[in-house]
PDB file of all heavy atoms in Angstrom:
ATOM      1  N   VAL X 325     140.332 172.189 -82.324  1.00 98.00           N
ATOM      2  CA  VAL X 325     141.392 171.447 -81.697  1.00 98.00           C
ATOM      3  C   VAL X 325     140.841 170.032 -81.464  1.00 98.00           C
ATOM      4  O   VAL X 325     139.778 169.832 -80.946  1.00 98.00           O
ATOM      5  CB  VAL X 325     141.804 172.154 -80.301  1.00 98.00           C
ATOM      6  CG1 VAL X 325     142.806 171.214 -79.603  1.00 98.00           C
ATOM      7  CG2 VAL X 325     142.427 173.487 -80.624  1.00 98.00           C
ATOM      8  N   ASN X 326     141.680 169.051 -81.970  1.00 98.00           N
ATOM      9  CA  ASN X 326     141.391 167.573 -81.759  1.00 98.00           C
ATOM     10  C   ASN X 326     139.868 167.314 -82.107  1.00 98.00           C
ATOM     11  O   ASN X 326     139.350 167.937 -82.981  1.00 98.00           O
ATOM     12  CB  ASN X 326     141.750 167.351 -80.228  1.00 98.00           C
ATOM     13  CG  ASN X 326     142.081 165.859 -80.022  1.00 98.00           C
ATOM     14  OD1 ASN X 326     141.122 164.981 -79.879  1.00 98.00           O
ATOM     15  ND2 ASN X 326     143.294 165.520 -79.969  1.00 98.00           N
ATOM     16  N   ASN X 327     139.265 166.422 -81.443  1.00 98.00           N
ATOM     17  CA  ASN X 327     137.849 166.083 -81.689  1.00 98.00           C
ATOM     18  C   ASN X 327     137.275 165.436 -80.438  1.00 98.00           C
ATOM     19  O   ASN X 327     137.796 164.393 -79.969  1.00 98.00           O
ATOM     20  CB  ASN X 327     137.734 165.142 -82.809  1.00 98.00           C
ATOM     21  CG  ASN X 327     136.254 165.051 -83.350  1.00 98.00           C
ATOM     22  OD1 ASN X 327     135.685 165.988 -83.775  1.00 98.00           O
ATOM     23  ND2 ASN X 327     135.693 163.838 -83.207  1.00 98.00           N
ATOM     24  N   GLU X 328     136.137 165.996 -79.960  1.00 97.00           N
ATOM     25  CA  GLU X 328     135.457 165.364 -78.868  1.00 97.00           C
ATOM     26  C   GLU X 328     136.402 164.731 -77.833  1.00 97.00           C
ATOM     27  O   GLU X 328     136.299 163.535 -77.551  1.00 97.00           O
ATOM     28  CB  GLU X 328     134.450 164.321 -79.390  1.00 97.00           C
ATOM     29  CG  GLU X 328     133.278 164.948 -80.130  1.00 97.00           C
ATOM     30  CD  GLU X 328     132.356 163.870 -80.656  1.00 97.00           C
ATOM     31  OE1 GLU X 328     132.635 162.595 -80.685  1.00 97.00           O
ATOM     32  OE2 GLU X 328     131.185 164.180 -80.963  1.00 97.00           O
ATOM     33  N   TYR X 329     137.249 165.525 -77.320  1.00 97.00           N
ATOM     34  CA  TYR X 329     138.140 165.127 -76.248  1.00 97.00           C
ATOM     35  C   TYR X 329     137.412 164.265 -75.193  1.00 97.00           C
ATOM     36  O   TYR X 329     136.241 164.641 -74.762  1.00 97.00           O
ATOM     37  CB  TYR X 329     138.724 166.313 -75.533  1.00 97.00           C
ATOM     38  CG  TYR X 329     139.971 166.841 -76.112  1.00 97.00           C
ATOM     39  CD1 TYR X 329     140.004 168.120 -76.662  1.00 97.00           C
ATOM     40  CD2 TYR X 329     141.248 166.147 -76.173  1.00 97.00           C
ATOM     41  CE1 TYR X 329     141.132 168.669 -77.180  1.00 97.00           C
ATOM     42  CE2 TYR X 329     142.380 166.693 -76.675  1.00 97.00           C
ATOM     43  CZ  TYR X 329     142.332 167.948 -77.226  1.00 97.00           C
ATOM     44  OH  TYR X 329     143.471 168.493 -77.724  1.00 97.00           O
ATOM     45  N   GLY X 330     137.937 163.177 -74.815  1.00 94.00           N
ATOM     46  CA  GLY X 330     137.341 162.415 -73.689  1.00 94.00           C
ATOM     47  C   GLY X 330     136.315 161.471 -74.168  1.00 94.00           C
ATOM     48  O   GLY X 330     135.729 160.762 -73.314  1.00 94.00           O
ATOM     49  N   CYS X 331     136.102 161.357 -75.496  1.00 93.00           N
ATOM     50  CA  CYS X 331     134.959 160.574 -75.987  1.00 93.00           C
ATOM     51  C   CYS X 331     135.344 158.997 -75.747  1.00 93.00           C
ATOM     52  O   CYS X 331     134.594 158.294 -75.186  1.00 93.00           O
ATOM     53  CB  CYS X 331     134.598 160.885 -77.371  1.00 93.00           C
ATOM     54  SG  CYS X 331     133.330 159.790 -78.010  1.00 93.00           S
ATOM     55  N   HIS X 332     136.344 158.596 -76.427  1.00 93.00           N
ATOM     56  CA  HIS X 332     136.707 157.170 -76.387  1.00 93.00           C
ATOM     57  C   HIS X 332     137.783 156.833 -75.375  1.00 93.00           C
ATOM     58  O   HIS X 332     137.967 155.591 -75.048  1.00 93.00           O
ATOM     59  CB  HIS X 332     137.048 156.720 -77.781  1.00 93.00           C
ATOM     60  CG  HIS X 332     136.020 156.909 -78.770  1.00 93.00           C
ATOM     61  ND1 HIS X 332     134.901 156.097 -78.887  1.00 93.00           N
ATOM     62  CD2 HIS X 332     135.848 157.882 -79.722  1.00 93.00           C
ATOM     63  CE1 HIS X 332     134.106 156.613 -79.892  1.00 93.00           C
ATOM     64  NE2 HIS X 332     134.726 157.653 -80.405  1.00 93.00           N
ATOM     65  N   ASN X 333     138.575 157.785 -74.948  1.00 94.00           N
ATOM     66  CA  ASN X 333     139.627 157.456 -74.114  1.00 94.00           C
ATOM     67  C   ASN X 333     139.764 158.490 -72.898  1.00 94.00           C
ATOM     68  O   ASN X 333     140.791 159.151 -72.703  1.00 94.00           O
ATOM     69  CB  ASN X 333     141.041 157.538 -74.907  1.00 94.00           C
ATOM     70  CG  ASN X 333     141.176 158.904 -75.605  1.00 94.00           C
ATOM     71  OD1 ASN X 333     140.275 159.663 -75.712  1.00 94.00           O
ATOM     72  ND2 ASN X 333     142.382 159.179 -75.991  1.00 94.00           N
ATOM     73  N   PRO X 334     138.694 158.484 -72.135  1.00 96.00           N
ATOM     74  CA  PRO X 334     138.685 159.507 -71.071  1.00 96.00           C
ATOM     75  C   PRO X 334     139.632 159.253 -69.910  1.00 96.00           C
ATOM     76  O   PRO X 334     139.930 160.181 -69.152  1.00 96.00           O
ATOM     77  CB  PRO X 334     137.256 159.515 -70.588  1.00 96.00           C
ATOM     78  CG  PRO X 334     136.770 158.047 -70.803  1.00 96.00           C
ATOM     79  CD  PRO X 334     137.431 157.705 -72.111  1.00 96.00           C
TER      80      PRO X 334
END
Side-chain angles (χ1 to χ4, degrees):
V325 174
N326 206 280
N327 191 62
E328 291 182 341
Y329 273 115
C331 176
H332 301 283
N333 57 344

